Amino acid sequence: MSAQLTTMRDLVRAFTRAMNLISPEIQNHHEKVSYFAYRLSEAMGCSESERRLTFYGALMHDVGSVMTEGSLSLMDIESRPSELARTGALLLRMFPSTASLSEIVERSQSPWEKLKRLPDQVKAPRRISQMVHLADTVSLLLKEDVSVLNQVGEIRECIHRIGEREFDPAVLSAFDALCERESVWLDLLYRPQLFLDDMPDDRSVSVDETIRLTELMSRIIDFRSPFTAMHSAGVAVTAQTLAALAGMSQDECKQMRIAGNLHDIGKLKIPKSILEKPGKLTDEEFNIMKEHAYYTYILLRDVRGFDWIAQWAAFHHEKLNNKGYPFKLSGDQIPFGSRVMAVADVFSAVAEERPYRKGMEKQKVIEVLRSDAERGALSKPIVELLIEHYDEIDALRDAESRAASKRYQETLKASQGD
Ligand SMILES: [Fe+2]
Ligand SMILES: [Fe+2]
């Protein structure tokens, strides 16, 4: 048993905020869907565990959107539902802790007419998928700029017009009951994060489980673009190994792995056109790129138990010589773990393969790292430590990168359908 690190609620909340970065135009869509689906599950008289599954399933229902082109708008969601749901289900199936949500997400866009013919053993997830589907539709119909109580009648009519082909009659009558409760609609528009902030399931999560859960997040960050498809995986294993060689404690090393998984989580805010630009970025583009480290910090600092992880992850572009970004830290202001992370990041970025270039050869990588250390951008002792154990670390990084790249290709293929 490893020590408790944080809580499920804090992790899920950070994750949801990260998802919101991808498409700011769909304001709090995930929160709204999870809020409304949870209320539906209460109105249906679901058990506590079913309600929790409904809540998490609803939060994750659009997780597949990370692999779609560009920024996601409401139109995209409506016009490519099955691809989104399939990709999301694939991502969730990769991990034991989220596998139970996979079926829910996979069917979250399926009409009742199709679902009702499924065999009995999928009955429970089927009902949850329907609640997510209805809540998703409600969220898409909801306008931000019209008084919410003046919209209920119209939304109700619209849902019934779509009707029993699309929705289970039992879920429809739970929806009708909710239409009578003003506070539900007021919460939906004005406080959709209500349950996220005050979730009854405030379960504690160990360091080891956090590593696994953040691997899912890192895959979502990486899979956004083939240019980054294996990056976080390589950084995480490099950072953890370097930390161990540098004498950090076992617990700290595990936290370094988590920080490595999440160091680029703020990249969800960066448009794909910038992430995928093979050449040099213009000054304007680079300014946008700089936002990612800032958002990594904003997302992680509110997670309980992540005091060090947030700094180790978010300060990976700070430089000892004060020429980094975005906090302009220098020298002693940069924690040791952040210096390790910076070396792991540069090393992985130059050594890994990208669609437009091969990974650099060992000698060239060493040259790059040493010249960065000379300029005072990277820590000299940590760079030398990496060079001393180069082959061992590179083999680990390469294995992680290859595995990540394989998973990416498989997910991409499956999401495009066959
Ligand atoms: Fe970065
Ligand atoms: Fe990075």
Side-chain angles (χ1 to χ4, degrees):
M1 262 293 285
S2 68
Q4 183 201 330
L5 178 65
T6 183
T7 70
M8 189 59 105
R9 183 196 60 199
D10 282 19
L11 281 179
V12 169
R13 191 167 47 191
F15 179 85
T16 308
R17 286 182 183 163
M19 293 284 297
N20 283 338
L21 292 180
I22 303 177
S23 335
E25 66 270 34
I26 48 173
Q27 283 191 31
N28 300 323
H29 177 64
H30 311 98
E31 286 92 330
K32 284 177 193 153
V33 178
S34 61
Y35 171 82
F36 203 79
Y38 188 83
R39 286 295 190 209
L40 280 171
S41 70
E42 282 177 337
M44 296 272 293
C46 293
S47 69
E48 201 205 312
S49 69
E50 238 185 324
R51 292 202 302 265
R52 198 179 312 133
L53 268 179
T54 309
F55 186 78
Y56 287 130
L59 267 180
M60 300 289 170
H61 81 283
D62 266 345
V63 77
S65 66
V66 286
M67 288 181 82
T68 58
E69 292 302 315
S71 164
L72 190 73
S73 70
L74 291 180
M75 276 314 286
D76 293 329
I77 296 180
E78 284 176 299
S79 58
R80 2 182 3 183
S82 57
E83 182 188 321
L84 268 181
R86 197 160 50 213
T87 313
L90 274 165
L91 282 164
L92 295 168
R93 205 169 296 144
M94 291 175 183
F95 299 91
S97 39
T98 52
S100 58
L101 302 176
S102 162
E103 264 184 284
I104 295 170
V105 168
E106 185 158 24
R107 303 202 178 96
S108 64
Q109 309 287 349
S110 308
W112 176 240
E113 221 174 39
K114 202 169 135 200
L115 289 187
K116 70 178 174 194
R117 287 196 284 269
L118 289 176
D120 255 14
Q121 54 278 29
V122 283
K123 217 172 172 179
R126 169 178 83 177
R127 185 158 78 164
I128 295 176
S129 295
Q130 276 282 298
M131 292 188 276
V132 175
H133 186 27
L134 198 146
D136 188 27
T137 313
V138 167
S139 165
L140 295 176
L141 291 169
L142 194 71
K143 297 183 194 90
E144 288 281 329
D145 51 356
V146 178
S147 155
V148 68
L149 299 180
N150 287 329
Q151 299 185 56
V152 179
E154 206 180 307
I155 292 175
R156 189 174 187 171
E157 245 172 58
C158 190
I159 292 286
H160 280 279
R161 216 177 309 127
I162 300 170
E164 293 185 8
R165 248 179 55 83
E166 202 66 28
F167 301 117
D168 174 358
V171 177
L172 274 178
S173 51
F175 166 72
D176 281 333
L178 293 186
C179 285
E180 304 295 330
R181 276 176 63 193
E182 288 88 351
S183 65
V184 168
W185 294 87
L186 292 163
D187 282 342
L188 177 65
L189 193 62
Y190 304 125
R191 285 202 309 163
Q193 71 289 3
L194 183 72
F195 295 127
L196 260 184
D197 286 343
D198 188 18
M199 201 187 296
D201 177 36
D202 194 7
R203 180 161 76 79
S204 70
V205 180
S206 71
V207 184
D208 289 328
E209 196 181 358
T210 308
I211 292 181
R212 288 193 293 275
L213 286 166
T214 55
E215 253 158 39
L216 169 69
M217 296 195 210
S218 82
R219 233 157 268 183
I220 287 165
I221 304 160
D222 288 359
F223 283 10
R224 189 148 161 68
S225 156
F227 286 65
T228 57
M230 53 190 85
H231 179 65
S232 302
V235 172
V237 72
T238 304
Q240 183 180 24
T241 312
L242 266 177
L245 291 167
M248 288 172 84
S249 74
Q250 206 194 4
D251 201 55
E252 286 171 328
C253 292
K254 286 179 176 177
Q255 293 197 32
M256 279 295 281
R257 179 138 197 163
I258 294 167
N261 280 335
L262 300 177
H263 77 284
D264 274 342
I265 194 168
K267 275 197 182 158
L268 294 176
K269 174 97 182 343
I270 313 302
K272 278 178 107 175
S273 58
I274 294 182
L275 290 179
E276 298 187 345
K277 186 171 173 183
K280 208 174 169 332
L281 298 179
T282 65
D283 288 348
E284 286 78 14
E285 288 164 340
F286 190 51
N287 278 336
I288 295 171
M289 189 62 161
K290 283 177 175 175
E291 292 185 7
H292 84 275
Y294 173 78
Y295 275 101
T296 293
Y297 188 66
I298 298 299
L299 290 169
L300 301 184
R301 65 166 186 183
D302 288 340
V303 178
R304 204 179 317 168
F306 271 31
D307 309 318
W308 282 115
I309 292 172
Q311 299 186 41
W312 295 342
F315 299 165
H316 68 276
H317 290 295
E318 302 296 333
K319 297 196 165 119
L320 295 165
N321 60 11
N322 196 27
K323 294 210 169 103
Y325 64 87
F327 297 103
K328 280 289 171 293
L329 304 178
S330 62
D332 286 347
Q333 294 174 310
I334 305 176
F336 186 75
S338 309
R339 301 179 198 196
V340 172
M341 193 64 66
V343 173
D345 187 46
V346 173
F347 165 69
S348 302
V350 292
E352 73 199 6
E353 241 173 75
R354 299 271 164 105
Y356 58 96
R357 62 150 169 82
K358 288 214 114 3
M360 266 180 206
E361 296 299 326
K362 178 174 172 178
Q363 273 325 309
K364 191 83 190 91
V365 175
I366 291 178
E367 264 173 47
V368 169
L369 291 172
R370 283 214 166 113
S371 100
D372 276 356
E374 276 320 312
R375 283 189 292 119
L378 292 175
S379 151
K380 228 182 225 173
I382 299 168
V383 163
E384 289 307 319
L385 187 65
L386 187 144
I387 293 170
E388 207 179 303
H389 298 269
Y390 192 95
D391 295 337
E392 173 198 343
I393 294 175
D394 194 48
L396 287 168
R397 183 206 57 76
D398 191 53
E400 284 294 324
S401 292
R402 275 174 204 280
S405 156
K406 197 164 153 252
R407 285 188 299 255
Y408 173 73
Q409 291 304 336
E410 284 168 4
T411 312
L412 190 66
K413 212 168 130 221
S415 75
Q416 286 165 346
D418 24 38

